[in-house]
Amino acid sequence: MDSLAANGNPDPPIIQRIFWALTEGACATALLKVGGKAALDTIQTVSVAAGLPYAVLVTAMCVSLWRALKEENGDVTPDRSTDRKFNVFLFDILLFPSLNNFKRFLTALLAPWLPAGRAAGKVYRKKPWSYMVIMAVLFYGWVILQVTEIFANGLAYVGWVVLCGFLTYVIGLRSVIREECGLPGSIIADGLTVMFYPFAVDQLDKHMLIEQQQKKDDPNCTGIENKHAVDIRAVQSPNNTACTKL
């Protein structure tokens, strides 16, 4: 903290060192006097928990570094203006506020299996109900297990495992859609995106809806409708050129 207060200087002034030593010592003494060791344990726990958001940010920085290294090595071109992208932005709901988008956000927040299931049905060209049921069981299983923690200790941990199963399912779905539509990205980027699951599932739903509409408007467009059904465990790269983005 002393070094940070000195703009990163590894050898800060002596007066500043004395100030921080006295200040930190006084804070620790006050905590021990008022709350005892339990107060310090609580602060330590909060400090560890507060590090979780930074872990997500560091992971995102790793993805950015990986992309920069690929550009440096010549694997990809720095100019990505010609790359295909999702038909809508991830935070499209926030960028274009409206009553309809607000309703979609609430649906994606409280029932993410609905838009995600619709997207899965379109990409696999099957009835969406089976996908909806799987995701609904996982999502609401997490909610129920969190609530039942009141009556039985330890169920909340099981609930978080179930939530990871739901997020993994959506990550796999997003990866399949990217492969089918020829969109750049990686499984790591998909994982980071799905951390914001209400926005992620809404984006997938809108993207597949636009792709389907493009196919109807342009029968010559070689979109996903011309491909064979794919299995989430064995995704095949599309052989045809994807439709032009709206």
Side-chain angles (χ1 to χ4, degrees):
M1 184 179 294
D2 191 12
S3 180
L4 291 175
N7 293 326
N9 184 3
D11 188 20
I14 296 178
I15 296 179
Q16 184 172 300
R17 296 182 189 179
I18 296 174
F19 168 78
W20 282 113
L22 293 176
T23 304
E24 293 176 4
C27 289
T29 303
L31 288 171
L32 287 172
K33 187 69 175 177
V34 175
K37 187 176 182 299
L40 289 179
D41 291 339
T42 303
I43 292 179
Q44 290 175 351
T45 303
V46 171
S47 300
V48 173
L52 180 60
Y54 291 99
V56 177
L57 292 177
V58 170
T59 306
M61 292 172 63
C62 290
V63 175
S64 300
L65 177 61
W66 172 71
R67 290 182 177 178
L69 292 175
K70 290 190 69 175
E71 290 181 3
E72 184 72 19
N73 194 45
D75 295 336
V76 295
T77 58
D79 183 15
R80 297 179 182 172
S81 59
T82 58
D83 290 349
R84 286 211 71 210
K85 300 178 178 64
F86 279 94
N87 292 315
V88 294
F89 296 108
L90 178 63
F91 299 105
D92 182 69
I93 297 176
L94 299 179
L95 294 175
F96 305 100
S98 65
L99 180 59
N100 181 56
N101 275 342
F102 179 71
K103 292 179 179 178
R104 292 185 64 94
F105 175 76
L106 287 181
T107 301
L109 179 65
L110 303 177
W113 50 269
L114 186 59
R118 287 196 296 256
K122 291 182 178 67
V123 73
Y124 296 129
R125 287 162 297 281
K126 295 180 180 179
K127 297 293 184 181
W129 303 112
S130 58
Y131 308 109
M132 290 182 179
V133 169
I134 293 173
M135 286 185 280
V137 169
L138 292 173
F139 183 77
Y140 291 129
W142 165 61
V143 176
I144 293 172
L145 288 170
Q146 294 299 314
V147 174
T148 53
E149 173 71 13
I150 301 174
F151 309 102
N153 293 331
L155 289 180
Y157 299 105
V158 180
W160 288 110
V161 174
V162 173
L163 178 64
C164 289
F166 167 77
L167 296 177
T168 302
Y169 197 98
V170 179
I171 291 171
L173 174 61
R174 193 174 195 273
S175 179
V176 169
I177 291 177
R178 279 196 308 98
E179 293 288 339
E180 281 288 290
C181 298
L183 304 175
S186 66
I187 194 69
I188 299 177
D190 292 334
L192 290 172
T193 302
V194 172
M195 295 291 290
F196 307 94
Y197 77 86
F199 303 102
V201 297
D202 182 69
Q203 182 191 44
L204 296 179
D205 185 24
K206 288 180 178 178
H207 177 81
M208 293 308 301
L209 184 63
I210 294 175
E211 287 286 315
Q212 189 178 60
Q213 187 62 43
Q214 286 177 334
K215 176 59 182 177
K216 292 180 180 179
D217 295 340
D218 184 7
N220 296 323
C221 178
T222 55
I224 61 172
E225 296 291 331
N226 290 342
K227 303 183 182 69
H228 298 291
V230 295
D231 190 326
I232 194 170
R233 295 166 295 182
V235 182
Q236 296 180 351
S237 299
N239 296 322
N240 298 326
T241 305
C243 301
T244 304
K245 177 179 176 294
L246 284 178

